[in-house]
Amino acid sequence: MAQTAEKVCIVCNSGFPGRVIQFVSCVDCKGPVHLTCIPGNKRGKVLSKATYVLMNKNNEAFFYKCSKCPTVPVPEIRVNLMAQVTEVVDVVENSRTTLAATFKLILGPLHSSPKKDLHPKPRTDATDIIPFTPIDGDCRPIITPEIELADAFAGLPMISTNEEVNSPMEQGSNSLLERQMATLEDSERYNERPSAQPNSPMELTSFFARPVATQESSLPSLAQERSRDRSNRSINGIRKWHIEPAAGKRLKPMLIDDTDRGLGIRYTRKNGTVMWRCNFRPKKNPCHGLVSQIGDKFAEHHPHSCNPKSHHKVNVILAAEAKKYALDHLNEPAQKVVEPLIVKVLDGNPNWNPINPTTLARAVNRRGSRCRSEKAPNIHDGRTNFRFENCSKMSYPEKLDGKQLLKAVSEVYCETNFLNEAFCYDDDKDDLNNSNNTQQRKKDHSKFQLQKRYLNVRQKMRKYHVQRYFRNDSQNNTDGNEEWEGTVCK
DNA sequence: GCCAACGGAATATTTTAGAT
DNA sequence: ATCTAAAATATTCCGTTGGC
């Protein structure tokens, strides 16, 4: 951490002005990085100025690894593991005194909150390093050094990785794993086990050298969690992923793992990471299974808490294929579509208990009939956006709760639940002024008016096959009418 | 008709950026 | 260093769909 005014920060590309230049150097490329340019260190959470000064004073090195450099491999610690555990325990204990300021437990990029993950919640594998696996590939559950050490801290029996790695089957898996891992981005390569750097109690990640994560003994053990998870894995411990694009209900994509559990897309992070959630979701004890996907790589964030399913993958793929075929051949009878597919699947899976053809045919029919109604002639062929004509008929005075109406309408596609709120009201016979309960009558009347206008809008939408529409605020409506724009069904 | 299997929205929690 | 607001992420709730 020497001062160097000529150098340029490899993160922000700016210099190091001022008398006191605080920076750290990448252990690999030696490039300087501002203290504040360290990922997650805007507020000194990773390396505060005070800590920096203290470390400088004690001539301590801060092992920073910039994102441009290849990840430093995780050290092999199979040999003399207990000695290392003792060593790390000493370090942790000492950290309460002299090293308290310098010893910050920072987890990898997938764990953004150092404070939170110091004591991980029992329901997650927060301290597990998550192995990424490619799509339609597989992954051996890995007992990483930090996991073993975490178990050791929790007072649990050590799990020997020697035996696992040395067995013929595991050796095979390892080579397969290595081939997969070779394709991963550097920042994700947690699980490599080269022979270099033996006996180091520190783990180097893409960011920093840091002490191994510990776990309070009062919390459920990682070993127990993994043991439960391992029992859910296939026999050889290989995790396989497969995405079926339209296997879900409403033709949503489904991720299927090697235990035949199906997962649906939960949400997509801003950085493009897709989060998949196990589809087993009864109201009582829904499964916690959670998988992240970056590109075509997958990682388990939460293990499943549900039981594996039998032939689920075969069934969902078959159903998806049948529905897809039915959509492409709308005029063919469902039974005719389904039966050959079932025979074909049965040929490839002799142990499969075939789905009832009638059941599948009914599902196919449902899908087909919906599609037939959706494929009504489109008078706005070729145009995805258009301006509503007769805008005056679509306008609403503000006093009739236009905002609420606008919100309801803009969220509506072709189907709506609005009519499910059966509202019986005889507009013609009602006399607002002669009612016993005038306030309530006025309220009902207003609601009825709203519904009538809404139905009028909906009718319009159907007529023009509008998927959704919204008010065009860019127009200055001088005549008091609101302008609407719509999106036509393709 | 019941209930599991989804799927989406609402809500809660955490993180980050910016101001002071 | 602290506070606040906004954004991002995670969790929960609830409605709909589909199979039996």
Side-chain angles (χ1 to χ4, degrees), chain A residues 244-253 319-320 323-324 327 367 370:
Chain A
E244 193 61 28
K249 285 182 181 177
R250 302 165 203 173
L251 299 180
K252 296 279 182 177
K323 288 175 185 174
K324 183 175 183 298
L327 294 183
R367 182 62 221 171
R370 195 189 313 164

Side-chain angles (χ1 to χ4, degrees), chain A residues 376-406:
Chain A
N378 187 347
I379 63 173
H380 292 282
D381 216 7
R383 286 194 291 168
T384 55
N385 286 293
F386 73 104
R387 175 76 43 79
F388 255 105
E389 294 167 358
N390 303 321
C391 290
S392 58
K393 293 181 181 176
M394 309 299 290
S395 65
Y396 303 94
E398 285 298 321
K399 63 181 181 181
L400 279 183
D401 200 2
K403 280 186 180 177
Q404 186 185 339
L405 182 67
L406 179 65

Side-chain angles (χ1 to χ4, degrees), chain A residues 46-194:
Chain A
V46 176
L47 178 62
S48 68
K49 292 176 182 176
T51 306
Y52 176 87
V53 172
L54 186 63
M55 290 178 71
N56 256 344
K57 187 179 177 182
N58 296 333
N59 290 325
E60 293 178 54
F62 193 82
F63 292 95
Y64 170 73
K65 184 84 179 169
C66 74
S67 59
K68 296 171 184 174
C69 291
T71 306
V72 178
V74 175
E76 174 59 78
I77 60 162
R78 280 177 294 164
V79 182
N80 201 13
L81 190 57
M82 283 311 295
Q84 295 170 33
V85 170
T86 307
E87 191 179 338
V88 177
V89 167
D90 289 341
V91 172
V92 171
E93 287 177 350
N94 290 336
S95 68
R96 289 176 183 163
T97 55
T98 57
L99 291 177
T102 65
F103 235 57
K104 281 199 168 188
L105 180 61
I106 312 296
L107 298 177
L110 289 167
H111 308 282
S112 51
S113 172
K115 288 179 182 175
K116 175 187 67 177
D117 290 331
L118 267 170
H119 305 289
K121 296 175 183 176
R123 58 181 167 69
T124 70
D125 284 344
T127 53
D128 279 76
I129 301 302
I130 301 168
F132 278 85
T133 52
I135 184 170
D136 286 333
D138 39 45
C139 167
R140 185 173 60 92
I142 298 167
I143 310 301
T144 57
E146 60 276 6
I147 293 172
E148 290 185 350
L149 287 167
D151 283 354
F153 283 131
L156 296 163
M158 301 296 292
I159 301 171
S160 169
T161 56
N162 280 332
E163 291 177 11
E164 284 187 32
V165 173
N166 290 339
S167 69
M169 184 182 75
E170 292 294 347
Q171 281 178 343
S173 301
N174 207 31
S175 61
L176 177 60
L177 174 69
E178 285 171 3
R179 286 202 303 274
Q180 295 164 355
M181 288 302 175
T183 65
L184 298 184
E185 291 177 17
D186 291 337
S187 60
E188 297 164 355
R189 298 165 66 186
Y190 296 112
N191 301 299
E192 290 185 15
R193 293 186 171 193

Side-chain angles (χ1 to χ4, degrees), chain A residues 333-336 338 356-367:
Chain A
Q335 205 75 14
K336 186 186 168 189
V338 161
N356 185 336
T358 309
T359 299
L360 185 56
R362 284 164 70 181
V364 167
N365 261 339
R366 270 193 293 271
R367 182 62 221 171

